[in-house]
Amino acid sequence: MMKVKNLAFLLAGILLYVGLTCITLLFYKDDPDQMNWQDREAFNTKYIYKLDLTKPISRDQVIDYLGGPDITEAKNQQQQIYQVLYYRTHRTKTDGITTRDECTAILFKNQQLIAIGETAVEQYNQLD
């Protein structure tokens, strides 16, 4: 009788653990500001390279998910606003300074995603 009772407690504990883990994974939003730098780089990389240029994605959607960019620049050309956001995805030096070569660029035109990575940088640099 004691073994059955102990087994029931063990199974209840396991089910509770699995249930709480599933709830946490399903409903807990990752917070990039609370991550260490390695986790944040991996988080940024995973999200950025899953972006689909064929779907409308706004600048605000990206910022809501990734948090503020590490570096940002903007240009106004022919009443069109171009903004490039740089998110660090690969550290090259442990000097505490984030540089463009450690980031992946995301380019927006009038707050809509138009390019990612080197293509974003090339398109942005061609403006003027």
Side-chain angles (χ1 to χ4, degrees):
M1 184 69 168
M2 190 64 149
K3 287 184 178 183
V4 173
K5 192 174 184 181
N6 287 342
L7 184 58
F9 279 121
L10 178 64
L11 288 176
I14 290 171
L15 288 175
L16 180 63
Y17 174 77
V18 169
L20 290 174
T21 301
C22 288
I23 288 170
T24 301
L25 292 174
L26 291 173
F27 298 106
Y28 178 75
K29 185 177 183 281
D30 288 322
D31 183 2
D33 291 332
Q34 301 300 317
M35 296 178 187
N36 66 40
W37 66 269
Q38 295 103 330
D39 291 340
R40 182 154 186 206
E41 285 180 0
F43 181 78
N44 290 347
T45 301
K46 183 177 178 181
Y47 178 78
I48 290 169
Y49 287 103
K50 284 173 58 175
L51 292 173
D52 185 351
L53 293 172
T54 63
K55 297 180 182 176
I57 299 170
S58 73
R59 179 183 61 94
D60 291 340
Q61 285 175 287
V62 171
I63 291 174
D64 284 345
Y65 198 81
L66 293 178
D70 295 289
I71 302 168
T72 186
E73 296 178 21
K75 293 180 182 178
N76 188 345
Q77 185 177 35
Q78 299 174 352
Q79 299 180 350
Q80 305 292 321
I81 298 171
Y82 293 87
Q83 185 174 20
V84 64
L85 308 180
Y86 291 90
Y87 285 93
R88 192 173 70 212
T89 53
H90 49 281
R91 178 174 274 179
T92 57
K93 296 180 193 171
T94 56
D95 57 5
I97 300 170
T98 300
T99 57
R100 283 178 188 79
D101 65 329
E102 297 175 318
C103 296
T104 299
I106 307 171
L107 181 61
F108 297 88
K109 177 182 178 182
N110 297 325
Q111 298 193 23
Q112 292 299 309
L113 178 67
I114 61 169
I116 299 169
E118 289 301 317
T119 304
V121 174
E122 290 168 8
Q123 287 181 22
Y124 184 77
N125 288 337
Q126 289 176 358
L127 297 170
D128 281 338

